[in-house]
Each structure stands twice: as structure tokens, then as C-alpha cells.
Amino acid sequence: MGNSFGKYLKLTTFGESHGRAIGGVLEGFPAGFQVDLAQLQHFVNRRRPTTQSHSTSRSELDQVEILSGMLDGQTLGTPIGFYMLNKDAQSADYESLKDVYRPSHADFTWQQKYGIRDARGGGRSSARETLSRVVAGGLALQYLHSLGIQIVASVISIGGIPSEIPQTPPDLAQVDSDALRCADSVASAKMQQLIHETALNKDSLGGVIHCWVTNLTCGLGEPVFDKLQSRLAAAMLSINAAKGFSYGAGFQSSAMTGSQHNDVPLESKLGFKTENNLAGGILGGISNGETLTFEVAFKPVASIGQSQKMHSVDGQIVERTIVGRHDVTVVPRAVPIVEAMTALTILDFVLLQKINK
Amino acid sequence: MGNSFGKYLKLTTFGESHGRAIGGVLEGFPAGFQVDLAQLQHFVNRRRPTTQSHSTSRSELDQVEILSGMLDGQTLGTPIGFYMLNKDAQSADYESLKDVYRPSHADFTWQQKYGIRDARGGGRSSARETLSRVVAGGLALQYLHSLGIQIVASVISIGGIPSEIPQTPPDLAQVDSDALRCADSVASAKMQQLIHETALNKDSLGGVIHCWVTNLTCGLGEPVFDKLQSRLAAAMLSINAAKGFSYGAGFQSSAMTGSQHNDVPLESKLGFKTENNLAGGILGGISNGETLTFEVAFKPVASIGQSQKMHSVDGQIVERTIVGRHDVTVVPRAVPIVEAMTALTILDFVLLQKINK
Amino acid sequence: MGNSFGKYLKLTTFGESHGRAIGGVLEGFPAGFQVDLAQLQHFVNRRRPTTQSHSTSRSELDQVEILSGMLDGQTLGTPIGFYMLNKDAQSADYESLKDVYRPSHADFTWQQKYGIRDARGGGRSSARETLSRVVAGGLALQYLHSLGIQIVASVISIGGIPSEIPQTPPDLAQVDSDALRCADSVASAKMQQLIHETALNKDSLGGVIHCWVTNLTCGLGEPVFDKLQSRLAAAMLSINAAKGFSYGAGFQSSAMTGSQHNDVPLESKLGFKTENNLAGGILGGISNGETLTFEVAFKPVASIGQSQKMHSVDGQIVERTIVGRHDVTVVPRAVPIVEAMTALTILDFVLLQKINK
Amino acid sequence: MGNSFGKYLKLTTFGESHGRAIGGVLEGFPAGFQVDLAQLQHFVNRRRPTTQSHSTSRSELDQVEILSGMLDGQTLGTPIGFYMLNKDAQSADYESLKDVYRPSHADFTWQQKYGIRDARGGGRSSARETLSRVVAGGLALQYLHSLGIQIVASVISIGGIPSEIPQTPPDLAQVDSDALRCADSVASAKMQQLIHETALNKDSLGGVIHCWVTNLTCGLGEPVFDKLQSRLAAAMLSINAAKGFSYGAGFQSSAMTGSQHNDVPLESKLGFKTENNLAGGILGGISNGETLTFEVAFKPVASIGQSQKMHSVDGQIVERTIVGRHDVTVVPRAVPIVEAMTALTILDFVLLQKINK
């Protein structure tokens, strides 16, 4: 279980980091939609290390191969099967780690759960798995764009350095123009400096991503257990290294009074506009037509170049240095992953809501 | 969709707040387990207003009626159907609200989604729906206890007043001995004072709940999309008024370095013990055998006694006072709901993990 | 698992035959539909022994109690919870059967599967469970009628006595006017005579039911694994005592040539009309707009009044007579069950197809 | 929807007949199992036209490419992704059929459902889709063999020519030694003669397949809606050209009395052995430990070389000959498909039953 996401629009992914390929099957995508495959590849490439290379030293080429579900680039309503070959695998780096469980990694738990694991590159627990999500999410995004719905995410803090959160959602080009996908260039400069210093320490950093969904119709989300925020939280916490999710006023709301937090309506007859949108676009689990906003916290990368104490597979505590390539932070690269998972969640609800109309 | 929770252990709930009854069906509960029905009723009663009545002025009697799935109190492996009659409904209070959408309530979104709603008491969007979850969760808790697994939650902040989080999980009796289910009595006294003042202002408060799960076996959680934290986040965000979820070091982890956040192993051969358990008991989406810890943020109660601006059903902005009973805060009453949803999530994974062994 | 039916329109049932109640939760039913509750009760009553009592000697009163999902008889889009009390339980009849496994019953297999069973009246394996399906199916039928879709089933053979299958679907009143719900009165008279003789022998009879669905739109059914016939087959084989399912030309098609079996188009521009509709209204798993036809075979009732060899719970072979009330045949009573399961299947696909449009 | 099969062991397939590839993802397969890839390819090859070529004139090479889920041939517990390239596509044959709906094909219904279709080779409605099922089913079969469970199917009639059904299940080698996979060589000779004559008439034939599952443990199948026969029926009716399913005494049971049909226990203390096993190994939806038996009826191949009346896409009735390769009958080739779908169904239940133990 656990390799599928979505109720009607359903993504099933497969693949280990250093196996032959990573891929997926996207079921339920509407028929008759003209896909822009170049744009899809471009979106997928956004998950690659940014050119400024603050956050990674790897170069990966992830050519999306579509196996089914389209005819001349037009969707057939049938499952879209796709894969990306694992060309860049340096499995040798991991040879020395076969006999230990890396700290804060999934090595130990996967071994316990299954009694076997592909130790090379983390196997299926590797963040490389999210590549399949970005492909499927990129397709969902194109469809949502055709409906006028926009999804954009940006980095709002790294290593504890905060930034100013834009009042109006930035656009994708603006976000991508910054080396760290942060809309506040002053803060970004500080973050880049911190990343530089942290790299010298062979250490790593976490951060927070903010996401906006605009032009969402009212009525998305299902009551009780499939609330919009419930499914979004599940989507976000399924991303590697994510440790927290909140929407609207989030954890801050817990310190407010009702009279402070209750949104005050701004306009009548023009849909649902409020002064502060502390609800984050969701009431009772269902979108109210305002901008949907939420945040996701990411822990620092667990793979660091310092020597660390760790459990060996035979139950000892040993000290070892993890060889190989290490990202100082993956938060900027997580931006398209957040967008992709959001797109899959939203399009699923858009399709389901057609039944209620 | 959205009225069921769980993959193998599956709860389906039904019922509107002021309809005839609230209830549910719990499928997949193990056969041959002797249920303590008195203890179950006691657990369900914990969701009622606490005797100190700081948090509510209503008295509710929620007698659990079991319709199926047991023979002489022993489970049959068949679905456990149950319901509680809605005796306490004061629908008249809501008569005056038929023509408006209460601020920060689900009134507007449900009306938009379905074109019809039961305006009395919020209908199905009422927090009364969680009563069914507490019944099912109470059953799951009894089963988990028989396996040695303990789940306990407590209030750690209300209205922004923080409290000291116990290093070792408190027990249920200790938590319940406090009027606000807060383990820090000094902080609790301050919170009670704030609640008192807030009540005079006809306002309301939110807060944060911390939850511990101890004696969890390693291996619970499914990879990728059904990670333990992913399902817990979905469970928690499905609770009325919840606005955020985090586990382990949570949002704080985003400001740490990897060398600070990576857990350092404490003992060898004795399972997985670390110095700080910043992982919160989960690695790669799978329990590692340490104590599972997470937090849930709740917004202040949306129903307040002050006059407020709100949308009318015909698109005007009107000013209106919501008549009826109002809780200043529901956070203490949410404690058993958090425990119940946790129990349902954990037992589901315990059962699924039997397949992998 | 196994207590839910349907993908979007989902029925979950609960209840043991001699427990407190039988009931269910119907999720996904469209909002804003005015239910005719008297007609629903009438439809449910059709499952009771027919007045002519050829097929049973029991009198059962099954008052449907609706607990949620409606306001003044109008559906809210929320789950419809309902139950029927088990008033007529003569559990004493089953006391003597606690220590044996009745031949061709589920006693042995349920005991093996769960290690515990409610021996009274077959517990959850009793055909009484289908009562909940008839309630939910009756609701689905009312909605389908509002779309112009008609579902009618009738008995076409009992005990091997064949009858003439009407070329055009009979109407429900016509079917119900016959004591055995057989549209061929000459054959019905022979069947009634056989039932009379079989009752004297303390034996039982099986039979075959034919079902027609008319005015079905084209496009219902999902490709590959959720073909219309696949879901119908699952629905029918889930009915107690059902042993076979076929649609269109069914098993006879296996003896035809392609040129005989391929349907010849009759009219152009008027939808999909063929000479013989041997396809039974389904092509490639999807409805083609013609009348959907299928048949379900039922084995003879396993509970007979004769002394029989059977396994005892301690592994011996004993000879025993099953005390209690026995139906000679349940096939006429299965007619509304077939209709109900068909309605649930069809409405589910009708709702799902809204996503594709 | 509809591209996935199974609750815990779940196969999702993708691919159009003349698209780039056909493939699937098999989730839930137990970890740590050594797969025999050569045997798997051999099993998949059984779906190819038999060497005697009575049933087809095509040569297809279907090399299975495994993309994930295994390390050195050992399963990892992660999804097994696989595909087979579509090398043999003669799309030109189908060019002339773009403007018509072939009789008894899915052309019309898919076009109506999705508004678009891949007309080449039937697209996703092609029987080539079942290739993915044979791969996944072949894997499931290997695992079931390791548990001692055997699944074997054979042809018992073609074109109405009956054969003697073996009292004890034939073995696979015996079945495969016959050109038509019929265990009765006398009947097979007659069938081959009929196939020869039918080929000359440019016509086609259907048939019936019988399947046996031996050494099945008691307790497989879930009550009510997921009865073993219910899921098997769904599995079989999802196979292209299947028109009927029955188990045990099947449709014949409808003409028996209870005293004839009720199975008489043969031995005590040695499990569940009866004289005739008319129950077909299933009681109350759950396996009883005897041999599971069922039959599947297949209609004659719809693609025939004769000129036929058919609908054109613009609503006319035209007469046209379908160019291309035509199988006289596909029933022998359906044998491994029946076995594969049975294996997927059984292994799913085997895994689920681990939860109940």
C-alpha cells in the first residue's frame, strides 16, 4: 500500500533511486486535453539543482518518457504511463553504507518493515521518487491552468532566516528568477550566505515553503475526512523531509481570539472576499473561493558530510562519514514538488466536484 | 466521498448535528476481542464539557448504542454499527441564522457545494460529528492497550499561553485531573484566568495539543503516500478547527542544521533510542520504535457572542449576533478526539503491518 | 473488508441476523432529491415473503428507520444512515446448531476465518443482510427513475422449469402480480406445483432471474477492471446463494460463430439499435445505449427440513435435522435484491460518468 | 477509474495496443521473494499464439522489462513496474476503420465515453492489455506455488463442442501439450476440425474455460461484498470477450433440489471433504479448503473477415470488411489470462487473511 495518491485522479508511482527507472501511472486525467510536452519537461527540470548551485552539486538529466495515454500529445482518458531512466546513479558511494543505518534516514525502518532494502541511494525512500510526482503534477498543472487556476510556491525561510511573505502571490517566473526561489531578494541574499557557510561546515539546512492557489472555485473538498486541508496535509507530509503543515493563519491562529481570527467580509455579491483571509481559503474543509494558502516546514537534509554516530546493522554504535554528494538544502528544489502535489490534490477535487453539480 | 477513514480498519460516520442521530460503522476491527463497554462510554464522556465547565456551558448525554458486531461484548470481526441519539438539539437557536452565513463557519461552503444544507447546528459540519470518531477511536484504543501501546494527548497552550511540555508522557488520569487537560498546573491556572476574561468579552480562544504514542513497534506506516505522518496529518486536519500539524521537531526543525537535527543513537541492541528523538518516532514515514510525538494547532471557536459582520444568503453584508450556547474554547474537549483519531490511524497500520510479516 | 459496495455511491452495511439491528450507510447519494419514503418502504416490503406464501412461511416486519442524510425527506448530500430492528429473531431454533456446521452454509468457513461466529440465524452471513441493500437500492432506484432509467427483474426458471422470457421488459406491477414473480403464467403454475411437492418432501429449489435495464445512456462503465459487466457480476455474486452470472447471450454465446453473435445494426442516427442485442447492451465494458440484460443463477436453499449428514464442530460427521422455518425457494424474494444491487451499480456509474463529461 | 485490480495486492495497468508500450505496476507483492524471471517470461509467452497456430496467425514477441521492485531478482516489497514494447503494431490495417464502429467492438462506446479514442488496434480496449495482467499474474502464481497452491485452467468447449471435464485437475504441462489446451484429446480433435472449417468461412468461435485451484487454505474471501466468488466473477468478466461466470455447480445448481445440491461430508478431521464438491470450494463467500472450481464463457471473436453491416461514425449503416489478422478463436490463449487473474485474486485474499490471523 501507499504508492497511490488521489481518489479519482490517481497517481501510482514506482521505482528505486538506483534501480533501472523511476516512473508512474496517472489515471483519471481528463480526455481530449492537448499536453505541452516541452513545458512539462521544463517543469520537471525545475526539480533539478538550480543553476546557481547553492543547493546541490549534482547534475541530473531526467528525460520524461511517455508510454501511453496520449495520441499526438492529446490525452485519451486512459492511464498515462511514464518513466525516467536512472542514469546518474553512483551506487559505489553507498557500498560503504550497507552495514549501517544512516542517522535520520529511512534505512533502519525500511529494513525492519520489509526485512530487505535496496541500500543504494536510499532505494525507494530516496527523494528521487518525487520526480514521478513532478511529472504527474506538471500534467495536472497544465490542466488547471486551462481552467484559470494558478498554483505557485516559494521559499519563505531557510535555516531560520525569515523573509517577507508577499501579500499577493508571486508568479512563477519571479520565483524562479531567485537562486533560492525566495520572493524577498534581501532575505535570499542572507540565506545564500548562510548556505555558503553551512557548506563549509559540511552541514545542512531546512526551511519553509509557502504556497498560494488562486482562482479556485468554491466547493472543492469533501466533508469530514477528505477535507481540502486534510488531503493537502497528507500530500505535503508525504514529501521527503516535510515535518509540518499549516494553512491560513496556521499555528498562529491558536494564539488569537475568535474576534481576531474570524474573517470579516469585504464585498458582497462578488463571491467570498474578506479582509485578511485568515481562513486560508477553506471553511469546513471546502474551498470558499478565496486564495488558498498553506505552509510546509522541511527539516535540514539528513545526509551531511560530517562524521556521525550511527547504528550498525548488527546493533553497534559506530562513527562514520557518509561519502557522496550532499545538498546543503533541498528546500528550493522542493518548490516544484509542493506545487505538483498541490496540483494533484486540487485537480482530484475539481473532478470529484463535477459529480456534485 | 469523505465519510470514511482508514484503509483496513475503516470508520464510516453519518449524521447531522440536529438530525435524529449521529453514528458510524467500524469495519475491520479484530475478531474475538472483549470490549469493556463501560470504559468505552467513559472515554466517550471525556468529549463532553469538563465538570469545571471552563470550556462550555452545555450538558450533553451521549449514550452509545451498539447495533452489531459484538456477541456478549466480544467482537465478531464483523462491522460494529453504532449511534447516539441527538437529544439536546436546540434547533430554535439556529432559526435566526438560516438567512446568513456565519463568519468562519462551513455554512457558505456547504451551501455552495451541495445547494442545500441542514442549517440547524451546522448540520454535518458540526463538531458533534466527532462523537462517532471518539466511539470508534475508543474501541481502537482498548485494542491497542491490549498490545501495550499507549496514546495520550494534553493541552500545551491556550490563547497563546504556553506551558511546559512534559519530557515523559503524562498518563490519562493526570491529564484529566486538570480542568483544561494541561499537564502544567501553573500554566493551566493562567489559561483558566484568560478563559474567564475571554468569556466576559463574549470571545473565544484556540490552542495547541501535544500527543504521545508509546511502545509502538517499529515498521508502522507505508512508504511514499501513506507515510505514518501523512496519515496522522490527514487525521488531525480532519478535526474541526484544526489549522496545523507537525511531528517531532516540527516547524522548529526548519531552523536547525542537520548536525543539530540528526538524532544521535543512545543505546545499541536495545532498539532505537536516541538522545533527543527530534524525528518524533518516524523515519521515512515508518515508525522507528521510539515515542511518536506530534502537535495539532486549533483556531479559536468561530461561534462568538459578539455582534459580527457576515454575508447574508442573498449576497448582502449584514451585522448579526449569533444566539445560542458558545464554548470559549474547545481545545480541552479536543483531547479525546485527537487520541481517538490517533488510535484509528495507528491500529489501521498495526493491522496492515501483519501482512508484511 | 468487504462490507462496502460502490466507488462513489458507496453502501456500507452492518448487522447480524439475530443481533440488535441490520442497517447501513449510503454515501454519495446526490443532494436535493425528494425521497418518497412510503414508496421506499413498499419496495423494501417486496423482499418479504409474498402473500401467496409459496416461498416462505415467515412474517417479517422491516420498518426502515432513517437516521441521517435527509431534511424533510430531501437528501442533503450527506451519508444516509438507516437501520431495521431484528424483531422476529427466533434464536432458540439455532441453539441446537451451535455444535454443527450446517451443510452448504457459511458456518464452517466463518468460524475458520474469524475463530468466532454468531451462530444464531447465520449471523452476518444470513440473507437478512440483503435487507440493507434493498433499502439503499430502493433509494438508488428512485433516483434512476427520475432520470428515466428503469430496472426490472423477473424469475425465468425454478427447479429447472423454464419459462418464456419476454421480448420486451415486463413492468414491475406485472411481475409482482404473479405469485413467483414470473412473467409467464403457464410456467409459473408449473413452478408453483413443483414448489408444493417439494415442500412436502422437506426439500428446496433454486432458479434463475433475468434482469433488464432500459433507457440507459451510453458511456456507463469504466474500462479494463471496472467494466459494467464486471461490476454487475461482482454485485450479483455477492448475493447469498447466487452461483452464476451472464449477460447478453451469456454462456450460449460460446457456441455461436462470430457472424451469428455480432449484432447487426438496425437503425442509423437513432442511437445504437441492433437486431438481436446479443451484446446485452454492453460493448468493451461500457453501456452502448441498448437494453442491458443479464441473468443470475441461484442454488436451492441450503436449509432443508430433511435429516442430513454434517460436520460437528469437534470434527465428527453427525446426522442432524435443522429445526426452524425453511423457505422452499427464495428466488422470487431475490428479485428486489437483484434490482437493488443493479440500481446501486448503475447509479454509481451514472455519477462517475459525470466526471467524464 | 478502472485500471486497478486488487485491494492489497494491486495491479494497475496502462497502455494502448498500438501505443509505445503496454505495462503495469504491481503493488503489495511480498518482500524477499526470489522471482524466476525465465519462468515468468515462459508464462507470459503462453499467451502468445500456440505453435500449432490453429487460433492465430500473428507472431508477437513480448519481452517483459522490469523497471523496479527487485534487487538481483529478489522482491523488495516495493511496486514492481514493468512494460512490454509494442513492436508488432500494423496500424495501417486500422486506417480504413477510423470512420466506422466495428460490430461488437468497443469502438462506439469508448468514443461516446471519452469523445476521443485511439482507433489503432482497439487502443486500450484491445485484448493486448491483458498482457500486463499475465505478467503480474505470473508473479503471483510463482508466489502461490511457494505456498503449495496450484492454479490450472483448460478449455472445455469450443464452438459448442463439449469435452469431458477431468475429475482431478490436469497439470499445466498436460494442458499445454494439447493444441487447444483441452484435456480431452478426442474433443480437441473435433474442435480443431471445426476451427479449420470456420477459418475457411472467415468466421470465428467462442468457448468455455474451466479453472481449478487446489490446496487453498480455508478462510479466503471477505464477507458480503468481497466474497471470493464475487471478486473472481469481477476478475473474469473483466477479461475481453468473457460473457459469463459460474462456480461449483453453477447454472446447473438452479435445477437441483437442496438435498441434491447440499454437499455430503466425506471425511472427518481431515478438513472439509465432500462427495461432490458442488459448492466449488466456497461457502458463504469464503474458501472451505476444497478445490475451487469455476467456469468462464467466451463469445466468438468479434473481428471476422466477412463483410458486415456496421455503423459509421457519422451515423450511417455501411457494409465493410475488416482488414487485418483475425484469430478464429482466442479461447486457448485466454487460458493463461484466466490463470493470471485467478492468481491475482487469490494472492490478494491470502495476504488480506494474514490480518485476520
Side-chain angles (χ1 to χ4, degrees), chain C residues 286-335:
Chain C
I286 297 169
S287 66
N288 66 3
E290 283 201 282
T291 298
L292 169 64
T293 62
F294 63 87
E295 296 185 356
V296 191
F298 291 89
K299 71 174 184 179
V301 174
S303 286
I304 57 174
Q306 300 180 7
S307 175
Q308 296 176 93
K309 278 189 188 169
M310 56 191 80
H311 281 107
S312 70
V313 296
D314 54 2
Q316 304 302 313
I317 295 178
V318 298
E319 184 138 356
R320 198 75 67 86
T321 302
I322 301 173
V323 191
R325 304 159 303 185
H326 301 300
D327 295 321
V328 173
T329 185
V330 292
V331 183
R333 293 179 67 191
V335 164

Side-chain angles (χ1 to χ4, degrees), chain A residues 2 109-110 113 203-204 219 221 223 225 227 230 234 238 243 245 253 257-259 262 267-268 278 283 300 302 308 311 315 353, chain B residues 2 109-110 113 203-204 219 221 223 225 227 230 234 238 243 245 253 258-259 262 267-268 278 283 300 302 308 311 315 353:
Chain A
T109 50
W110 278 65
K113 185 171 186 73
D203 214 334
S204 65
F225 297 112
K227 291 185 166 86
S230 187
S238 79
K243 302 249 354 187
F245 167 88
S253 71
T257 62
S259 60
N262 283 1
E267 304 168 60
S268 59
L278 295 174
L283 288 176
Q308 297 176 92
H311 280 109
Q353 180 60 3
Chain B
T109 49
W110 279 64
K113 186 173 185 72
D203 214 335
S204 66
F225 297 111
K227 291 185 167 85
S230 187
S238 78
K243 302 251 353 188
F245 166 90
S253 70
S259 60
N262 283 1
E267 307 167 59
S268 61
L278 296 175
L283 288 176
Q308 295 176 94
H311 281 109
Q353 179 60 2

Side-chain angles (χ1 to χ4, degrees), chain D residues 121-280:
Chain D
R124 183 142 176 76
S125 72
S126 164
R128 184 165 169 79
E129 181 276 335
T130 59
L131 181 55
S132 302
R133 311 188 194 191
V134 175
V135 174
L139 288 165
L141 265 175
Q142 289 192 17
Y143 190 86
L144 290 172
H145 286 168
S146 77
L147 302 177
I149 298 170
Q150 303 290 331
I151 296 173
V152 67
S154 79
V155 172
I156 58 165
S157 87
I158 282 183
I161 296 175
S163 72
E164 201 150 329
I165 303 173
Q167 285 305 303
T168 51
D171 63 26
L172 192 138
Q174 185 186 344
V175 168
D176 277 2
S177 69
D178 181 73
L180 298 177
R181 295 200 169 106
C182 175
D184 174 348
S185 57
V186 179
S188 177
K190 289 184 201 166
M191 293 171 189
Q192 290 175 51
Q193 179 59 28
L194 179 60
I195 288 170
H196 181 72
E197 293 162 11
T198 306
L200 297 178
N201 291 337
K202 299 184 175 178
D203 214 335
S204 66
L205 296 168
V208 178
I209 288 176
H210 190 99
C211 186
W212 296 261
V213 186
T214 51
N215 286 324
L216 212 50
T217 49
C218 182
L220 304 186
E222 299 288 323
V224 183
F225 297 112
D226 287 342
K227 291 186 168 84
L228 183 45
Q229 68 269 34
S230 186
R231 294 282 300 280
L232 277 172
M236 295 308 136
L237 266 301
S238 79
I239 301 174
N240 306 47
K243 303 253 346 191
F245 167 89
S246 68
Y247 76 99
F251 276 79
Q252 280 75 39
S253 70
S254 71
M256 293 176 173
T257 63
S259 60
Q260 290 167 337
H261 184 269
N262 283 0
D263 283 313
V264 179
L266 258 191
E267 305 167 59
S268 61
K269 299 206 177 181
L270 286 168
F272 205 85
K273 287 290 163 195
T274 65
E275 271 181 26
N276 296 312
N277 186 22
L278 295 174

Side-chain angles (χ1 to χ4, degrees), chain A residues 38-315:
Chain A
Q39 192 187 43
L40 178 66
Q41 185 67 53
H42 175 76
F43 183 74
V44 170
N45 292 347
R46 293 180 73 223
R47 190 189 154 279
R48 293 169 59 194
T50 54
T51 47
Q52 291 81 353
S53 78
H54 282 104
S55 55
T56 188
S57 55
R58 284 181 253 180
S59 119
E60 295 180 20
L61 274 170
D62 299 312
Q63 180 65 39
V64 182
E65 303 286 344
I66 305 283
L67 294 175
S68 65
M70 297 184 198
L71 186 63
D72 304 329
Q74 204 170 17
T75 56
L76 290 164
T78 58
I80 300 168
F82 60 88
Y83 73 93
M84 285 74 57
L85 289 175
N86 292 327
K87 295 175 179 170
D88 191 35
Q90 299 189 9
S91 302
D93 285 352
Y94 298 92
E95 195 58 35
S96 66
L97 296 167
K98 261 187 164 174
D99 61 335
V100 292
Y101 300 128
R102 293 170 295 167
S104 293
H105 276 81
D107 299 350
F108 174 73
T109 50
W110 278 65
Q111 183 70 38
Q112 292 297 309
K113 185 171 186 73
Y114 295 110
I116 183 175
R117 70 192 159 108
D118 185 349
R120 304 168 304 164
R124 182 142 177 78
S125 72
S126 164
R128 185 165 168 78
E129 181 277 334
T130 58
L131 182 54
S132 302
R133 311 187 195 192
V134 176
V135 174
L139 288 165
L141 265 176
Q142 289 192 16
Y143 191 85
L144 289 172
H145 287 168
S146 78
L147 302 178
I149 298 170
Q150 302 291 331
I151 296 174
V152 68
S154 79
V155 173
I156 58 165
S157 87
I158 282 183
I161 297 175
S163 72
E164 201 150 330
I165 304 172
Q167 285 305 304
T168 51
D171 64 26
L172 192 137
Q174 186 187 344
V175 169
D176 277 3
S177 68
D178 181 72
L180 297 176
R181 292 199 171 110
C182 175
D184 175 346
S185 56
V186 178
S188 178
K190 292 184 200 164
M191 294 172 189
Q192 290 175 50
Q193 178 60 26
L194 179 61
I195 289 171
H196 181 70
E197 293 162 10
T198 307
L200 296 178
N201 291 336
K202 297 184 176 180
D203 214 334
S204 65
L205 297 167
V208 178
I209 289 176
H210 190 98
C211 186
W212 296 262
V213 186
T214 50
N215 285 324
L216 212 50
T217 49
C218 182
L220 304 186
E222 299 287 321
V224 183
F225 297 112
D226 287 344
K227 291 185 166 86
L228 182 44
Q229 69 268 37
S230 187
R231 295 283 299 282
L232 277 173
M236 296 307 137
L237 267 300
S238 79
I239 300 174
N240 306 47
K243 302 249 354 187
F245 167 88
S246 68
Y247 75 99
F251 276 77
Q252 279 75 38
S253 71
S254 72
M256 294 177 173
T257 62
S259 60
Q260 290 166 335
H261 185 268
N262 283 1
D263 284 312
V264 179
L266 259 192
E267 304 168 60
S268 59
K269 300 210 173 177
L270 285 168
F272 204 85
K273 288 289 162 195
T274 66
E275 270 180 28
N276 295 312
N277 187 22
L278 295 174
I282 305 176
L283 288 176
I286 298 169
S287 66
N288 67 4
E290 283 199 281
T291 298
L292 170 64
T293 62
F294 63 88
E295 296 185 357
V296 191
F298 291 89
K299 68 173 186 181
V301 174
S303 286
I304 57 176
Q306 301 179 7
S307 176
Q308 297 176 92
K309 280 191 186 166
M310 54 190 83
H311 280 109
S312 71
V313 296
D314 54 2

